[in-house]
Amino acid sequence: GSWYYEILEDGFKYNMSDLQAALGLVQLRRLDEMQAARARIVGAYQKAFAEIPGLLRPTARPEVGHAWHLYILRLDPDALRIDRDRFIAELTERGIGVSVHFIPLAHHPLYQRLLGVRPEDFPVAEKVYRASLSLPLYPAMTAAQTDRVIEAVLEVAKEHRR
């Protein structure tokens, strides 16, 4: 499937069921372990992409604990000859599952209809959106899988560097 989605109608986001809550409680016991695994993956990403033209890493401050729910990589359009969508397509062709987790509200038909907003009304949000993608990041991700993601990202960035 595609990462793209649209919000067409307003609706509800219901509370979790008892079964979902029970699973969540069990997962909470593993929180430290899962956070450490995410931090290891992020550390590998941060190190690999540190000096690569065209790749802008998320900011991590030592005094702030980060959940690392997502690893959002931004592309510098001045350093690359391709846009974010083509970058995603090339990673997908290499078997890497990437996504765009945050599509600005002004892109969604519901908000365009209700509020009369358009993407061009929010140039900063549009710029960040057009440059951002989320790399795979989950606690069970192996070092080999992490290395494979890194290798693919570096290949695409190198092939399309200005």
Side-chain angles (χ1 to χ4, degrees), residues 14-159:
Y14 291 100
N15 293 332
M16 68 179 84
S17 69
D18 289 346
L19 180 59
Q20 291 167 322
L23 288 171
L25 288 172
V26 171
Q27 291 293 83
L28 278 175
R29 292 186 203 128
R30 298 185 52 224
L31 180 61
D32 291 340
E33 168 195 340
M34 291 189 296
Q35 284 301 100
R38 287 178 177 277
R40 280 191 300 277
I41 297 161
V42 167
Y45 284 166
Q46 294 287 71
K47 182 179 178 182
F49 306 143
E51 303 298 327
I52 307 302
L55 303 181
L56 305 172
R57 304 169 303 151
T59 300
R61 297 188 331 239
E63 74 278 9
V64 176
H66 200 300
W68 293 118
H69 169 62
L70 299 171
Y71 187 89
I72 298 177
L73 187 65
R74 287 183 304 127
L75 306 177
D76 178 356
D78 295 330
L80 297 171
R81 295 186 321 268
I82 60 172
D83 66 7
R84 186 268 327 268
D85 292 351
R86 185 68 204 147
F87 203 97
I88 288 173
E90 295 221 7
L91 288 176
T92 301
E93 289 169 10
R94 288 167 168 80
I96 306 300
V98 296
S99 188
V100 176
H101 280 90
F102 302 110
I103 299 175
L105 293 181
H107 279 259
H108 295 289
L110 172 66
Y111 297 101
Q112 291 174 353
R113 188 175 68 250
L114 290 179
L115 303 175
V117 296
R118 297 283 176 258
E120 57 272 13
D121 297 336
F122 304 94
V124 174
E126 188 65 14
K127 181 180 178 182
V128 171
Y129 164 63
R130 292 284 169 205
S132 298
L133 62 116
S134 299
L135 296 182
L137 176 60
Y138 52 94
M141 195 170 172
T142 66
Q145 290 169 321
T146 304
D147 290 344
R148 188 165 167 261
V149 171
I150 290 168
E151 180 181 316
V153 170
L154 294 177
E155 282 177 5
V156 175
K158 183 178 180 182
E159 283 177 23

